[in-house]
Amino acid sequence: MLMAHPAVLEELLRRYEELRARYGGGDEGLARSLEDVTYTLCVSTGTRDIAAALVVAREQLRRSAPRGKAPASASVPA
């Protein structure tokens, strides 16, 4: 399976977390952006739902991080 570059996964996780925090239900542009980043995370991780995509992305980042340094997005819950 192809794996996304860690920098790409970090950026996707950052964008997803930011959009989820801002999403309130009424903004169609924000909803579309959230759908887009959710889809991209799923494709990038080879998963079909966002919960699984978040687990896989964080695990890939954890494995790619230098010893003793966890990525910043690894501590944010799903």
Side-chain angles (χ1 to χ4, degrees):
M1 176 172 111
L2 292 176
M3 291 178 56
H5 191 277
V8 171
L9 287 177
E10 281 186 349
E11 177 62 14
L12 287 169
L13 286 171
R14 185 199 63 76
R15 286 180 46 213
Y16 175 80
E17 291 160 359
E18 176 187 321
L19 291 167
R20 282 290 297 167
R22 292 176 41 208
Y23 183 66
D27 185 338
E28 287 185 33
L30 191 59
R32 179 62 187 180
S33 294
L34 184 56
E35 288 174 18
D36 289 346
V37 76
T38 297
Y39 173 81
T40 305
L41 264 168
C42 288
V43 170
S44 298
T45 57
T47 59
R48 292 183 178 258
D49 65 79
I50 190 59
L54 293 171
V55 169
V56 170
R58 289 176 180 141
E59 177 61 19
Q60 287 179 6
L61 287 174
R62 186 191 63 77
R63 282 186 275 142
S64 70
R67 295 254 182 222
K69 181 182 181 218
S73 58
S75 62
V76 179

